[in-house]
Amino acid sequence: MKSSAPPQTYRVKSFGCQMNVYDGERMAELLAQRGITPAPEGEEADLVVLNTCHIREKAAEKVYSDIGRLVKAGREAGKEPLIAVAGCVAQAEGEEIMARAPAVSMVVGPQAYHRLPEMLDRAVKGERSTDTDMPPIAKFDSLPARRKSAPSAFLTVQEGCDKFCTYCVVPYTRGAEISRPFRDLVAEADKLVAAGAREITLLGQNVNAWSGEDDKGRTVGLGGLIRRLAGIDGLARIRYTTSHPADMNEDLIAAHGEVDKLMPYLHLPVQSGNDRVLKAMNRSHTAESYLRLLDRFRAARPDIALSGDFIVGFPGETDAEFADTLKLVDAVGYAQAYSFKYSPRPGTPAATMDGQIAPQVMDERLQRLQAALNRDQHAFNQASVGKRCAVLVERTGKLPGQWLGKSPWLQSVWFEGDAALGDLVEVELVEAGPNSLAGRLLASVPA
Ligand code: SAH
Ligand code: SF4
Ligand code: F3S
């Protein structure tokens, strides 16, 4: 590879889950520390970090088409960018990316990106490097302190997964479950709030598997961490995602009834409503145990909005088994949910199972499932009309004087009037669309 001038501008493009968004922000902070600035909108950057996702085939293949596009745009502009591939494709494919994409000079896994600056120094000299080490948690200690935050911030508290669902790559790309220390998280949350955050969403591939030692030396779970963070002045809202049914405990459920700042929303993926399929997926719950768990959350917080993830067309799934998923959806009444066609992933047990489902069958099942989920989402939004609630203002709307924010139940709400980013305002929800609600501004809620 040719040597190149040190980059002056960067762009980080994150795909996949919110943990990648968090990692992308941290990589941007590392680059900013080097004096590299974000490339202005519409301009080619000198350095592009593709922070990739390996969860489904489409997501993983996207990285190669993106690289192709970058190289082409670079040639047209007379200067090819330095390209780093980060994230879960980097972890899963490592050297393969180097072989397949000569334009890439850095491949860095999700546990190694604190070394990006050193890799960049080598890249400038024309040396290509790959780092997919998985040192336990060392990364966080080498990252710069948080200085800037949007009103709603992410905070990774837990990484990795030990669950090994048979369809999923995450245990391979992110490694074993690790919890960041309590005091580090409190310190980072303090910094985020001082930097402008009003809401913090605690992140983990299995966020509710988090555990640690609190300031009094007691072992606590996520509920204990949430109770401590709720004491931070200026922090108005706490959320967490994504949870696993097997890691739920009474204290976290109880926190939903006891901690005002903990928002009434739970994302608890179920994947299927059929017990045979769940077993073949190596999920540890049954449809019934999942429903009973949701009952406990509803008892603690009756207005809790429920969300989930679904996979249709897992190998061997019959029509009758898929119908059980629709039955479960009817029983829950999700406020919002994500649904995917099963995608065979290299190296996972399900990829070589008998009974792979034809694409047309998957399409048809996904359509039916999404119709049911959309119906329930619309019904949930409709049922919110007339309510008064706090909205955290996160963005400006399309028109002057328009604002966009989130309700406690994570619905997008837009309204007009006198407000500013980061405000918590009281609105009356006046109209429901399929994906958002219109609100009428009542008052600003004092911080
Ligand atoms: N740790 C979380 C989510 C991980 S990935 C959990 O266990 O719920 C996010 C979602 O992607 C999963 O919940 C699942 O619905 C979906 N997913 C994972 N692997 C997949 C695959 N091979 N094909 C299709 N969807 C998949
Ligand atoms: Fe993947 Fe299952 Fe782990 Fe979630 S719990 S990340 S679906 S293996
Ligand atoms: Fe994708 Fe990795 Fe997240 S595979 S969903 S970016 S953990």
Side-chain angles (χ1 to χ4, degrees), residues 112-164:
Y113 64 75
H114 54 295
R115 304 211 190 102
L116 189 60
E118 301 151 41
M119 298 172 80
L120 183 58
D121 289 340
R122 291 202 288 274
V124 166
K125 288 190 233 149
E127 290 166 36
R128 307 174 83 199
S129 53
T130 302
D131 191 339
T132 50
D133 276 2
M134 284 199 180
I137 226 95
K139 162 178 88 189
F140 292 105
D141 294 333
S142 332
L143 296 172
R146 314 299 307 258
R147 290 217 171 75
K148 265 205 314 227
S149 176
S152 178
F154 290 140
L155 173 53
T156 292
V157 305
Q158 180 278 340
E159 289 211 89
C161 179
D162 298 339
K163 306 291 189 291
F164 290 94

Side-chain angles (χ1 to χ4, degrees), residues 55-56 167 205 269 271 283 309 311 340-341 343 345:
I55 203 84
R56 284 167 289 273
Y167 48 81
Q205 267 90 19
Q271 315 299 356
R283 297 290 291 185
D309 291 355
I311 295 176
F340 311 99
K341 287 186 268 187
S343 171
R345 307 306 295 127

